Structures are given as C-alpha cells and as structure tokens.
Amino acid sequence: MKAQAIADHQAENPVDDEYQPLSTYFLDEEVNSDEVTSEDTNACKMFFDGAVNAKGVGIGAILISPTSQHYPATTRLWFFCTNNIAEYESCNMGMNMAIDQDVEELLIMGDSDLIIRQARGEWETRDVKLILYRKCVEDLSKFFKLVEFWCIPFFHNELADALATLDSMLPYPDNLHIDPLEIQIQERHGYYNMVEVEPNVQP
C-alpha cells in the first residue's frame, strides 16, 4: 500500500473525541493447543500426517513405544485423495500398526483439527467421503483399552509430515522396496576421518 493512500484515508476520516483505538492483543495467540501429558504413562504415541501435492499422495505415521523406540511407516496412495482423506488414511495406518504390535494404550496425535475433533466425537462428519473413514477409526479404537486423540501444532508433527511428503514425491516402480531409514548422529566434520596420525607426531 502506498504511503499516499494512507495519508488520504486519514485526511478523509478525521478522529473525533469519541474515538477508541482497536485492541488487537490476543493472549497466547501463538498457542495452537495446550495438552498436559503424564510422563509416567505406559501408552504408546502415534503421530500421523498426509501430504497431497502435484506429484502424488503420501501418508506417514510413527509409532513410539514407552521406551522411545520409533517405528516409522509410509505409504504412497494411488487413488484420488483430498487432504482430509489423506489424513484419515495415515491415522488408520498408524492405528493398524499399533494393533499389529498388540498395543493396549495409544495416544494418537495429528495436526488436523478436523480429523481429531471428528475422532473425538466433538464434530459431526457431514462430508460423505469421510463418513466411512470416521466409522473405521471408531471400529479400530475398540481394539485398545485406552485411546486418546490430541491435536498438536504442525511443528510438533514434523517427522510424520516429512515421511508423508517424501513418499508423495518419490516416483515408485511397482516392485520397488526401500529399506527403513537409519538416522545417525555425527559429532565431528567428515574430514576428521581422513587425518592420518603418525607415532609421537601431532597431526
């Protein structure tokens, strides 16, 4: 916006004695959700996310055991998906992973407010494309002694998002298999491994 436009607007709308400035302060405006969890819980955590872009549709889920073992999974979908369908597909995949590992208590976390609130029963599922997905989540929930759905900020769901995005962008031949990723920690620069040390001589 040009500075002249602001000056013209102010000249045409003078402030009278009754003017009150608009308050635009919002308490904790950067907070998306606030959930308190117990660190002593024996529940597994499951993060899920879906990615829909011009190259394809991918879903990702990570199951984390109480001992912090991470079990990632990702799938490329070869059928039409909206963003919400991809989110439901990833949630269902993660729940099935937990069932296969005989998990009894599961905390399900995603950044889709719609999916989480529908899964909790707080919001109606009106979209006909999502009704069967909502029912599937409800049926899968019966396999657990305890299941809770939490909405988390996007930046707490980055690993599931990265898996989904990676899968959505990779071109897959029908028979391609990619082994699970192994993440290593390197504390020194790579060239340290190439330094030769002679006896009693500083490198």
Side-chain angles (χ1 to χ4, degrees):
M1 180 181 288
K2 292 185 177 179
Q4 185 60 45
I6 297 175
D8 291 343
H9 176 75
Q10 290 177 337
E12 293 172 6
N13 299 280
V15 176
D16 57 24
D17 294 336
E18 297 179 4
Y19 173 76
Q20 293 290 329
L22 177 64
S23 175
T24 57
Y25 175 74
F26 297 98
L27 182 63
D28 297 329
E29 62 182 356
E30 74 281 359
V31 176
N32 183 30
S33 65
D34 184 16
E35 307 252 11
V36 178
T37 63
S38 172
E39 295 299 325
D40 298 330
T41 181
N42 289 322
C44 284
K45 297 177 182 176
M46 190 271 284
F47 295 82
F48 70 93
D49 204 1
V52 179
N53 57 45
K55 294 191 175 182
V57 181
I59 59 175
I62 300 103
L63 190 64
I64 304 177
S65 73
T67 58
S68 295
Q69 290 287 334
H70 287 57
Y71 303 95
T74 183
T75 299
R76 186 178 178 91
L77 304 181
W78 282 30
F79 52 86
F80 171 77
C81 274
T82 63
N83 286 319
N84 290 331
I85 289 175
E87 293 281 350
Y88 262 119
E89 285 283 353
S90 59
C91 181
N92 290 346
M93 178 178 70
M95 293 179 77
N96 278 304
M97 289 169 54
I99 292 169
D100 290 343
Q101 295 196 25
D102 297 321
V103 172
E104 295 184 347
E105 298 180 4
L106 185 64
L107 309 179
I108 299 174
M109 289 175 268
D111 55 35
S112 172
D113 196 40
L114 175 76
I115 305 308
I116 296 298
R117 289 184 180 272
Q118 286 181 350
R120 286 177 175 173
E122 296 174 3
W123 288 359
E124 275 186 62
T125 309
R126 296 181 180 176
D127 188 338
V128 293
K129 297 186 294 294
L130 301 182
I131 291 175
L132 292 177
Y133 281 108
R134 169 65 189 95
K135 179 70 167 66
C136 182
V137 168
E138 185 179 322
D139 292 341
L140 291 173
S141 297
K142 296 174 183 176
F143 285 87
F144 304 98
K145 289 182 179 178
L146 169 71
V147 62
E148 294 181 6
F149 295 88
W150 295 349
C151 188
I152 59 174
F154 170 78
F155 55 83
H156 286 164
N157 203 30
E158 288 179 332
L159 184 53
D161 176 68
L163 287 172
T165 302
L166 176 66
D167 210 357
S168 71
M169 300 182 75
L170 286 175
Y172 277 106
D174 291 341
N175 59 351
L176 181 64
H177 173 76
I178 298 177
D179 288 328
L181 296 173
E182 180 180 347
I183 300 174
Q184 299 178 351
I185 296 175
Q186 183 171 311
E187 297 179 350
R188 297 191 300 178
H189 300 284
Y191 57 76
Y192 273 71
N193 298 326
M194 302 301 294
V195 175
E196 296 182 6
V197 180
E198 297 180 6
N200 301 321
V201 178
Q202 294 292 331

